[in-house]
Amino acid sequence: MSGEETAGRDPRTVRTRARLRRALLAECADRPLAEVSVSAVTRRAGVGRATFYLHYEDLPALAVDACAEVVRDAVEAVHAVDGPPDPAVPPPALTAFLTSAAARAGLYRGLLHPGGGGPLGELLHRELRDRSRRERARAGLPYAAAADSAVAAAFTGVFADWLHGLVEAAPGDLAHQVWRLVLTVHRAFGPPPR
């Protein structure tokens, strides 16, 4: 359950989940998720282990909840276009997102593995795929599950590799590259020629 979904719940639940999310993000700023323990998170959050397990099944579940905001930002940045997209000009929101992500790369590397795996990668891929499907339907384009999956995989994989230093580019340059890649995939699955 995401932080948004807890908004209508007991305020104590909302506060406890927020403390656990902040504690996990602080722990991951110092080391990868694989090296973080439930004990470290609960100690930093000031709650007991039993309280942790009342709210989350495990650390990856907490990580997914804690990363919901960066995933929302990424999805919105990729889809922040009004009118026909220009391959030469990425949405300013995409460049802003990548600039912001670069400042927190150490944190995200612990949750997003090279190639796009890990709890953040799985969530990002799923949300991008679903948003791509909705956008294609809204635009009246034929539904192409492969296009939706390819767009999600391309962005998630390139973003992850960039965070891990496997793709070298300044945020603005990466925005141009990934934008062209995403548009190329969408166009490959566009309406059939007449």
Side-chain angles (χ1 to χ4, degrees), residues 17-149:
R17 283 178 170 263
R19 288 170 65 185
L20 287 166
R21 286 192 301 270
R22 283 192 304 271
L24 176 73
L25 294 175
E27 289 293 322
C28 286
D30 299 332
R31 60 185 172 274
L33 179 63
E35 296 176 15
V36 173
S37 67
V38 170
S39 297
V41 170
T42 56
R43 188 171 35 255
R44 189 180 285 260
V47 301
R49 286 179 70 87
T51 300
F52 174 89
Y53 288 110
L54 282 173
H55 297 281
Y56 297 100
E57 180 179 319
D58 53 21
L59 281 175
L62 171 58
V64 167
D65 190 23
C67 291
E69 182 177 346
V70 71
V71 169
R72 278 191 306 274
D73 291 348
V75 171
E76 290 305 317
V78 171
H79 292 91
V81 179
D82 290 327
D86 180 350
V89 182
L94 181 57
T95 303
F97 167 75
L98 292 170
T99 301
S100 172
R104 294 176 271 167
L107 167 64
Y108 299 144
R109 278 192 296 267
L111 303 170
L112 180 61
H113 306 152
L120 178 57
E122 292 166 11
L123 180 61
L124 180 56
H125 184 275
R126 184 175 59 246
E127 294 295 323
L128 282 167
R129 186 186 60 224
D130 292 348
R131 178 69 177 268
S132 177
R133 179 185 48 77
R134 289 191 309 271
E135 292 292 326
R136 289 177 70 77
R138 191 180 73 182
L141 297 173
Y143 179 71
D148 302 332
S149 185

Side-chain angles (χ1 to χ4, degrees), residues 78-79 85 87 125 128-129 132-133 136 141-158 176-192:
V78 171
H79 292 91
H125 184 275
L128 282 167
R129 186 186 60 224
S132 177
R133 179 185 48 77
R136 289 177 70 77
L141 297 173
Y143 179 71
D148 302 332
S149 185
V151 165
F155 182 84
T156 304
V158 170
H176 278 88
Q177 294 170 29
V178 79
W179 181 240
R180 291 184 64 196
L181 179 62
V182 166
L183 290 181
T184 299
V185 170
H186 271 298
R187 287 187 174 136
F189 289 89

